Amino acid sequence: MKEYNVAVLGATGAVGREMLKVLEEYDFPVKTLRPLASARSAGSTVLFKGRDITVEEACESSFEGMDFVLGAVGGGMAKKFAPAIVKAGAVFVDNSSSFRLDPDVPLVVPEVNGADAFNHKGIIANPNCSTIITLMAVAAVNKLSPIETMVACTYQAVSGAGQAGLVELEAQMSALAEGRPVERRTFPHQIALNVIPHIGDKLENGYTAEEMKMQNEGRRILHLPELKVTCTCVRVPVMRSHSISVSLVTREKVSVEQANAAIAAFPGCKLIEDYEGRDYPTPLDTSDQDLVWVGRVRDDLTSDRGLTLWCCGDQVRKGAASNAVQILQLLAKGQ
């Protein structure tokens, strides 16, 4: 079996560490692992396959000899190092939003549009976490009949804001339990015992950048340039795993029975019809694993061609790290 030299850019962050974990779990054939981070984290170590590996400071020469680079950094650093990665001959699978709408960069969910990955020019973009989870849930229905519109409401865990989000929710819950004042730094309002219906920068159309990703990225991934999506993104006091309520309208009517059968057969999805006496998943069910769980599939009462469903998925794994590693698997099998 061929082995590959793999670098993880942003190896000490939450997503970077999860990428290392998934690479090991999937037994991806890594010959050499090169963990990279900022100067602040250089010299620390990460654990991979039982060995402590020293983290190096990322620089333009860091990518020489690498086959793949997994990106788990912000857009600024991704754009800074992308030219050096491509010049070194490596394939850059980037988790930032920098290249997601670039027509020359494939935007890939392997189970949905895996063939697009082979049209890369050195860079492949990982979609937004909520987009990945939602499209995994509806892709099987789209195969039966193209989706024309979607109305989505996301319920996004605090870990979507990074480690700081987790720390803030834990600290606020402790403060409330002990009668101390609640402090906030990461979120614009108290998140404990609350929901915040605003994630990302507000745009001129009244939506946020996070909300527009569902339409803009969905069009590319599903190959539906006319897809119309209206989305509301809500931060909820949940540690891990995003949930999404979706109502969709297809070109031709798809029955609940047809949709359930297609979703159940779709790779990476788990249809919930009777799980512990219920027909729906929760964030706790789906944390720390890679399947997108789908339930409560029913006819939409506002459209004769509509369906409504509920889905949950781990946004750190399938919504980020695991999807990126699955892209590597796809490319490795195709070589």
Side-chain angles (χ1 to χ4, degrees), residues 234-311:
V234 185
R235 186 74 68 192
V236 295
V238 168
M239 291 295 183
R240 186 157 170 164
S241 280
H242 289 352
S243 304
I244 303 99
S245 172
V246 187
S247 292
L248 55 88
V249 175
T250 50
R251 185 179 301 165
E252 293 86 26
K253 172 61 181 174
V254 176
S255 71
V256 171
E257 292 74 21
Q258 290 173 318
N260 279 342
I263 292 167
F266 193 78
C269 279
K270 180 174 182 175
L271 178 69
I272 304 302
E273 292 183 285
D274 184 7
Y275 180 77
E276 297 180 347
R278 52 187 161 93
D279 65 350
Y280 56 85
T282 71
L284 288 179
D285 297 321
T286 57
S287 293
D288 203 27
Q289 55 86 62
D290 291 332
L291 296 177
V292 172
W293 294 28
V294 185
R296 297 207 67 201
V297 181
R298 57 205 190 275
D299 284 317
D300 187 322
L301 301 182
T302 68
S303 172
D304 293 337
R305 293 175 285 116
L307 290 170
T308 295
L309 57 82
W310 171 261
C311 61

Side-chain angles (χ1 to χ4, degrees), residues 150-167:
M150 289 199 304
V151 177
C153 188
T154 71
Y155 303 87
Q156 298 184 211
V158 294
S159 52
Q163 186 66 26
L166 290 167
V167 170

